[in-house]
Amino acid sequence: QRMSSANGRLDATLPTPVRSLTSEVQAVVDDIGAAASLCLNAGPNPGQDEINAFTAHVNAAMGHYERAELIAAASAGPAGRPGLLN
């Protein structure tokens, strides 16, 4: 349930001003949503198929997250220098 709630908060940040960033963040939302659904539907004794699917969705989400971080950093422009007007 907490995973699903966090996913909803992340989804609320969309869209971003950068199309490629929006795409990656949406992919994170989609993969985490799928992983959360698997958890909620698997019950207390999930089978190996459910565990493998959950792991695949989480790993995919992490890959999208890492790409989103790179895109966000590249889109932010040069970092400001302390003590100077930016």
Side-chain angles (χ1 to χ4, degrees):
Q1 185 61 43
R2 286 189 280 164
M3 227 173 140
S4 185
S5 296
N7 200 45
R9 290 191 304 274
L10 181 60
D11 191 36
T13 67
L14 297 175
T16 71
V18 179
R19 185 176 297 175
S20 58
L21 179 58
T22 297
S23 177
E24 291 297 338
V25 173
Q26 184 63 58
V28 171
V29 168
D30 294 345
D31 278 315
I32 292 298
S37 291
L38 280 166
C39 280
L40 293 172
N41 294 327
N45 298 308
Q48 192 60 48
D49 288 343
E50 287 89 0
I51 293 169
N52 290 343
F54 174 84
T55 302
H57 284 298
V58 170
N59 287 339
M62 292 305 298
H64 290 297
Y65 178 80
E66 289 169 4
R67 286 188 292 280
E69 282 190 313
L70 293 172
I71 293 166
S75 299
R81 293 183 284 173
L84 298 177
L85 296 176
N86 294 305

